[in-house]
């Protein structure tokens, strides 16, 4: 049986690392891509020859091209691309300076565009899948997220564009919108007040785990999802489906 190969960006920790683990458990090879070399080394040490690590900043077009060549040289094929690398920087509109805006956009949006474009030729050969990681912050507006939320809303639209254009090449493109997960990214921007507010607004009344998000990602990359494309799937404990009033209803 041909061994399938996934390219996962932001694989050094958090949701990307959990996704790598599930792919390896399912018998896939994984190209682990990250710009944080120290964390990438530590993470990759957990796996044997099932993975290879590639240092790359996904917002750098030349580095991305070099990385995709290195991945195809190493593994010979790419069956799935998971655009997971992301950064979060929260601030009010008037305090979001252009440098912060660009920092968020260049990884969260430019990175998804660049890595997808560089990977399409390999995905055409395998009839592969793209899974982009957006956020519930791309589905609903909230305070402090003018850059982050806008970047994630754009990733949702980019996914639909990819599905529309690449479908005839047999490439599927879907988007996962995680709710809150206690990763380094989230804990850097989630104050206790934000954590409490999330718990109040989420029917399941808790944060998700990295593995719960990874399960959805790996399913969408698998043949089990062979007729699913252009979909935006929230793995969010029900956050997106609700309106106001959960805390009051729980007490009633
Ligand atoms: P994390 O910070 O734990 O991991 C992100 C990884 O991406 C890190 O290893 C980091 O080094 C890497 N990375 C960042 N910028 C990069 C770049 N330009 N090039 C290459 N690598 C880069 O974060 P996480 O929580 O696991 O987030 C993964 C994805 O899930 C992100 O896109 C994030 O926006 C999204 N998300 C997370 C949450 C949450 O609550 N944790 C919620 C919704 C969406």
């Amino acid at each position: 049986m041909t061994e399938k190969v996934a390219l996962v960006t932001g694989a050094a920790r958090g949701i990307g690392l959990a996704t790598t683990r599930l792919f390896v458990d399912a018998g896939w090879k994984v190209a682990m891509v990250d710009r944080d070399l120290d964390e990438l080394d530590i993470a990759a040490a957990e796996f044997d020859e099932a993975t290879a690590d590639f240092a790359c900043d996904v917002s750098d077009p030349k580095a991305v091209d070099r990385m995709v060549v290195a991945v195809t040289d190493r593994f010979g094929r790419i069956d799935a691309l998971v655009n997971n690398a992301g950064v979060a920087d929260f601030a009010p509109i008037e305090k979001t300076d252009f440098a912060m805006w660009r920092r968020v956009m260049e990884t969260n949006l430019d990175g998804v565009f660049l890595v997808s474009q560089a990977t399409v030729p390999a995905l055409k050969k395998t009839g592969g899948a793209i899974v982009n990681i957006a956020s519930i912050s791309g589905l609903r507006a909230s305070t402090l997220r003018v850059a982050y939320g806008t970047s994630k809303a754009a990733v949702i639209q980019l996914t639909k564009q990819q599905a529309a254009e690449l479908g005839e090449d047999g490439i599927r493109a879907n988007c996962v919108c995680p709710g809150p997960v206690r990763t380094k990214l989230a804990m850097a921007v989630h104050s206790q007040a934000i954590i409490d507010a999330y718990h109040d607004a989420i029917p399941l009344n808790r944060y998700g785990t990295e593995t719960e998000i990874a399960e959805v990602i790996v399913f969408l990359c698998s043949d089990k999802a062979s007729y699913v494309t252009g979909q935006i799937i929230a793995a969010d404990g029900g956050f997106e489906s609700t309106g106001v009033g959960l805390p009051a209803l729980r007490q009633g």
Side-chain angles (χ1 to χ4, degrees):
M1 226 178 70
T2 315
E3 265 175 343
K4 292 199 168 187
V5 177
L7 191 168
V8 180
T9 70
R13 63 175 191 240
I15 294 166
L17 179 55
T19 303
T20 301
R21 287 192 184 114
L22 289 191
F23 272 127
V24 170
D25 289 350
W28 289 56
K29 302 274 189 199
V30 182
M32 300 174 70
V33 175
D34 209 287
R35 70 175 172 191
D36 186 332
L37 295 185
D38 295 339
E39 290 225 40
L40 190 57
D41 272 352
I42 296 165
E46 169 183 334
F47 308 100
D48 49 26
E49 72 283 356
T51 70
D53 49 311
F54 299 86
C56 176
D57 182 333
V58 298
S59 69
D60 176 342
K62 289 202 174 73
V64 166
D65 285 345
R66 282 195 300 272
M67 176 274 289
V68 173
V69 169
V71 170
T72 42
D73 281 355
R74 170 74 171 75
F75 289 115
R77 57 188 288 135
I78 300 173
D79 298 272
L81 164 64
V82 180
N83 280 308
N84 164 77
V87 296
D89 230 339
F90 288 3
I93 288 173
E94 285 173 293
K95 294 213 165 112
T96 300
D97 62 20
F98 187 62
M100 186 194 287
W101 172 268
R102 280 306 308 148
R103 207 160 47 241
V104 172
M105 291 297 167
E106 70 186 10
T107 288
N108 293 8
L109 181 56
D110 301 354
V112 175
F113 169 74
L114 291 169
V115 181
S116 300
Q117 193 175 54
T119 312
V120 160
L123 291 173
K124 275 186 182 172
K125 290 184 190 154
T126 56
I130 298 172
V131 174
N132 298 321
I133 310 308
S135 169
I136 50 172
S137 296
L139 290 167
R140 281 178 158 188
S142 183
T143 54
L144 309 180
R145 290 160 172 80
V146 62
Y148 184 76
T150 305
S151 74
K152 295 302 191 179
V155 167
I156 289 170
Q157 181 63 21
L158 177 55
T159 306
K160 293 179 182 175
Q161 292 293 145
Q162 291 172 333
E165 232 181 273
L166 301 173
E168 64 185 319
D169 295 312
I171 299 174
R172 297 180 296 105
N174 292 290
C175 183
V176 174
C177 294
V181 178
R182 289 177 184 276
T183 62
K184 198 166 175 181
L185 173 144
M187 288 304 104
V189 286
H190 287 195
S191 62
Q192 191 56 46
I194 292 177
I195 293 169
D196 293 344
Y198 267 127
H199 282 207
D200 278 350
I202 291 175
L204 292 183
N205 207 213
R206 63 174 175 84
Y207 275 39
T209 67
E210 290 91 330
T211 307
E212 286 175 310
I213 310 302
E215 290 282 4
V216 182
I217 297 169
V218 171
F219 163 71
L220 288 170
C221 291
S222 78
D223 290 340
K224 290 181 183 165
S226 54
Y227 202 52
V228 182
T229 194
Q231 294 305 299
I232 313 306
I233 297 176
D236 68 348
F239 176 86
E240 208 256 333
S241 66
T242 58
V244 292
L246 273 180
L249 287 168
R250 283 190 183 115
Q251 282 155 22

